[in-house]
Amino acid sequence: MQKIDHKDCQASLLPIRDAMDVINGKWKLLIYISIANGNSRFREIERSIPDISSKVLAKELKELEANQLIKRTVYDATPALVEYTATEYSKGLGDVLTALKDWGTRHRNQIMSKA
Amino acid sequence: MQKIDHKDCQASLLPIRDAMDVINGKWKLLIYISIANGNSRFREIERSIPDISSKVLAKELKELEANQLIKRTVYDATPALVEYTATEYSKGLGDVLTALKDWGTRHRNQIMSKA
DNA sequence: TACAGCAGTTACCTGTTGGTAAGCAGTTAA
DNA sequence: TTAACTGCTTACCAACAGGTAACTGCTGTA
């Protein structure tokens, strides 16, 4: 009888849970990608993501900032000028995004072909 | 003036959205990992994941099956014997899991050190 | 003067997620 | 006989994600 290595399993659960806490939800990664691609102004980001609302965008931006993935800079001008940029630190997400994008593409095909 | 490549951006959004639809939520990846690590029985999986309830587990297992990440096999015995196993297809998730685990570990340190 | 843009905020409402607790039919062990 | 195991399901409820719409103060433009 095989013994299952529960330590290995448990060791994976925690980091994955941590990661998911940050990128969870319908919008966070999409917003991050938009910013990483060069969109920096609130309305610009809003327009770049289909169907997102101001309210959700504002809320998610705060969470992304709290997790140090983006930086919010306010320029002292009238009317207020605010810029969102991806942090150096956030570049570490690159592998996650690549893996998700690749798998998402393949999975779409898989599900479509069987439907 | 730089033109932002909105095509590149939009091209990433869709696959990522597809991927997130599947792995979104607090529990799905944790359940998948538990099964991939060798836990196959309902109660066994339940016990391997801290704080999960029967109700949530049952619901999530159905979704994982619908997405072809796990297979549910019922053996004709009394009392009923059910086995959950990771599908060959689901192995494609490997890169995603590795990336998430690595980043989750690093991110935990990052946030902890600044708190 | 009127409208559009900026960066959001507020109020209200719905749908999903998820937690708690109990229970079911059948079997085995004490 | 009682208790505990199996693989779930049901009822009830709370919290939160997310959608809709209106509105703010300020400025530049027609």
Side-chain angles (χ1 to χ4, degrees):
Chain A
M1 189 178 170
Q2 281 244 320
K3 256 266 174 172
I4 290 143
D5 192 340
H6 281 292
K7 275 166 230 147
D8 250 38
C9 178
Q10 298 292 335
S12 294
L13 296 187
L14 268 137
I16 298 247
R17 200 160 191 173
D18 289 338
M20 288 308 291
D21 281 348
V22 177
I23 67 172
N24 217 340
K26 195 172 168 180
W27 300 112
K28 272 182 204 92
L29 284 182
L30 307 186
I31 294 167
Y32 173 75
I33 291 169
S34 172
I35 295 171
N37 270 273
N39 296 309
S40 61
R41 312 288 300 276
F42 189 92
R43 296 291 181 200
E44 198 177 17
I45 299 163
E46 192 175 5
R47 281 189 300 261
S48 76
I49 302 172
D51 301 323
I52 200 169
S53 69
S54 306
K55 185 193 115 182
V56 169
L57 179 55
K59 185 192 139 232
E60 302 283 36
L61 284 171
K62 279 172 198 160
E63 291 180 37
L64 287 170
E65 201 194 352
N67 277 304
Q68 305 170 36
L69 298 182
I70 62 170
K71 208 182 132 212
R72 182 176 186 271
T73 315
V74 184
Y75 294 99
D76 198 6
T78 35
L81 174 56
V82 181
E83 246 189 34
Y84 294 94
T85 46
T87 59
E88 258 315 292
Y89 168 67
S90 76
K91 308 261 159 85
L93 259 181
D95 286 352
V96 172
L97 293 176
T98 306
L100 280 174
K101 187 180 155 189
D102 289 352
W103 187 79
T105 305
R106 276 183 285 138
H107 188 63
R108 178 181 213 98
N109 294 336
Q110 170 82 5
I111 295 298
M112 297 293 241
S113 71
K114 302 253 176 170
Chain B
M1 188 182 172
Q2 281 244 321
K3 254 271 174 167
I4 291 145
D5 192 340
H6 281 292
K7 274 165 232 150
D8 250 36
C9 177
Q10 297 293 335
S12 294
L13 296 188
L14 268 138
I16 298 246
R17 202 161 190 172
D18 289 338
M20 287 309 290
D21 282 348
V22 177
I23 67 172
N24 218 340
K26 195 173 170 182
W27 300 111
K28 274 184 203 89
L29 284 184
L30 307 186
I31 295 167
Y32 173 74
I33 291 168
S34 172
I35 295 172
N37 271 275
N39 295 310
S40 60
R41 312 288 300 278
F42 189 92
R43 296 289 183 197
E44 199 177 16
I45 300 163
E46 192 175 4
R47 281 189 299 260
S48 76
I49 302 172
D51 300 324
I52 200 169
S53 68
S54 306
K55 185 193 114 183
V56 169
L57 179 55
K59 186 192 140 234
E60 302 283 36
L61 284 171
K62 278 172 199 161
E63 291 180 37
L64 287 171
E65 202 194 352
N67 277 304
Q68 304 169 36
L69 299 182
I70 61 170
K71 208 181 131 210
R72 182 178 186 270
T73 315
V74 185
Y75 293 98
D76 198 6
T78 36
L81 173 57
V82 181
E83 247 190 31
Y84 294 94
T85 45
T87 59
E88 257 317 292
Y89 167 68
S90 77
K91 308 260 160 83
L93 260 180
D95 286 352
V96 172
L97 293 176
T98 305
L100 279 174
K101 187 180 155 189
D102 290 354
W103 186 79
T105 305
R106 277 184 285 137
H107 188 64
R108 178 181 212 100
N109 295 336
Q110 170 81 5
I111 295 298
M112 297 295 243
S113 72
K114 303 252 176 169

